[in-house]
Amino acid sequence: MGAIQSIVIRPEKRGLPKQITTAKIFVGGIEGDHYFKPESGRQVTLVAKDDLATVSVAVGFEGDSHAACRRNICVDALPDGDLVGKRVALGDKVILEITCYCFPCKRMDENFGRGAIEAFDKKAGWGAMVIHEGDVRVGDEFKIL
């Protein structure tokens, strides 16, 4: 069990990430995020703060690692191993089902610096579908069900 550390959306594809403190999560994704797609299996993305810290140290990155990685919801920590099929609760109402691992792409090297793709091995986050809609905010409880 942990907490939501930060929330990021990108209103435009390849646009600058926008930090928000509350989010409306619907089947399809987060309101205001360019990646809102009801038919997608990757409607919301999750990443762990401790993994972002590990990667940042490995490549010498000193900026906002959550914004740089472009995942939507940053939580304290995620368990090791394959999370596909697991359900996640965010706040009082939102339930997500993990559908895929988000493999690191060339944007990781662009945003964090050379070597980030390798440093993100098994730390790049998870994609999920929305099972139950609702509002979440930074500080809300996060847990694997």
Side-chain angles (χ1 to χ4, degrees):
M1 196 165 17
I4 297 172
Q5 298 296 305
S6 55
I7 305 168
V8 167
I9 61 171
R10 285 180 300 133
E12 299 174 19
K13 186 175 183 175
R14 291 192 67 92
L16 292 175
K18 179 181 176 184
Q19 293 252 351
I20 57 176
T21 57
T22 62
K24 293 184 180 300
I25 298 180
F26 298 102
V27 170
I30 299 176
E31 181 179 66
D33 191 59
H34 85 283
Y35 206 80
F36 191 100
K37 295 180 182 175
E39 70 281 359
S40 175
R42 187 175 154 177
Q43 299 168 355
V44 175
T45 53
L46 302 164
V47 69
K49 183 178 181 176
D50 61 347
D51 288 338
L52 291 174
T54 299
V55 170
S56 293
V57 167
V59 298
F61 181 75
E62 295 181 6
D64 181 345
S65 59
H66 182 203
C69 81
R70 302 172 10 253
R71 305 293 183 243
N72 297 124
I73 309 249
C74 180
V75 298
D76 312 279
L78 290 163
D80 291 333
D82 187 0
L83 300 181
V84 172
K86 301 279 188 199
R87 289 202 172 183
V88 173
L90 301 173
D92 295 332
K93 294 184 181 179
V94 174
I95 306 289
L96 307 176
E97 183 172 322
I98 308 252
T99 57
C100 63
Y101 175 69
C102 298
F103 288 94
C105 65
K106 68 179 182 175
R107 293 291 307 273
M108 298 302 189
D109 273 359
E110 290 172 15
N111 292 350
F112 282 84
R114 180 178 230 150
I117 292 172
E118 293 80 17
F120 266 108
D121 183 43
K122 298 181 183 158
K123 295 173 179 52
W126 298 90
M129 286 178 41
V130 177
I131 303 299
H132 223 272
E133 301 175 330
D135 296 345
V136 296
R137 67 178 24 102
V138 171
D140 277 355
E141 183 179 81
F142 157 81
K143 63 183 172 183
I144 304 285
L145 301 176

